Amino acid sequence: LVQSICKPAKDPAALDVFVKIVIGDPGVTPDTIMDQVTAPMLLVWGDQDIVTPLKVGYGPYFTEELVETRPNTELVVVNGGHCPHDDCPADVNAGVLEWLARLPVLDSQPVQAAKLE
């Protein structure tokens, strides 16, 4: 994980990109488009996330309001940070597998995996 962050950070344009991310237009906020998502949703959140904490900013919107008001939306909180899939992949995978097992089967036809080239 550290190498995946350090390598791009050494790019000469990295500072300019970082500054644009921090001070640039944030774009569309998630709460304004969430009603367009119709599929079941699993939110996996790290309890130590300092970028989007559970109880600050958009954290409560996703982890409380959305889960309570949007049908077919579940939350799994794991012991990790902003990238729980990197911090604790086994916990994330377990949460995803449990959630997938609860989803209704919509089609009995097997899904063909995409061929990667």
Side-chain angles (χ1 to χ4, degrees):
L1 175 63
V2 172
Q3 290 303 319
S4 71
I5 295 170
C6 288
K7 185 177 178 184
K10 293 178 183 177
D11 186 290
L15 179 59
D16 291 336
V17 171
F18 180 74
V19 169
K20 285 180 183 178
I21 290 170
V22 172
I23 66 170
D25 178 7
V28 178
T29 58
D31 56 318
T32 62
I33 60 171
M34 201 54 61
D35 61 343
Q36 298 173 33
V37 179
T38 58
M41 186 182 305
L42 174 66
L43 306 169
V44 180
W45 221 271
D47 62 355
Q48 300 170 39
D49 186 341
I50 60 172
V51 177
T52 311
L54 284 164
K55 302 292 182 189
V56 179
Y58 271 105
Y61 168 73
F62 284 107
T63 63
E64 296 171 16
E65 181 181 337
L66 199 61
V67 172
E68 293 170 6
T69 62
R70 186 182 181 281
N72 300 315
T73 301
E74 294 184 37
L75 171 68
V76 171
V77 178
V78 295
N79 184 18
H82 189 66
C83 299
H85 52 284
D86 291 326
D87 298 334
C88 51
D91 294 341
V92 171
N93 290 343
V96 170
L97 290 173
E98 290 171 14
W99 177 73
L100 287 171
R102 289 191 299 276
L103 291 178
V105 176
L106 300 177
D107 183 33
S108 62
Q109 299 297 317
V111 176
Q112 297 294 322
K115 293 184 180 180
L116 300 177
E117 307 208 23

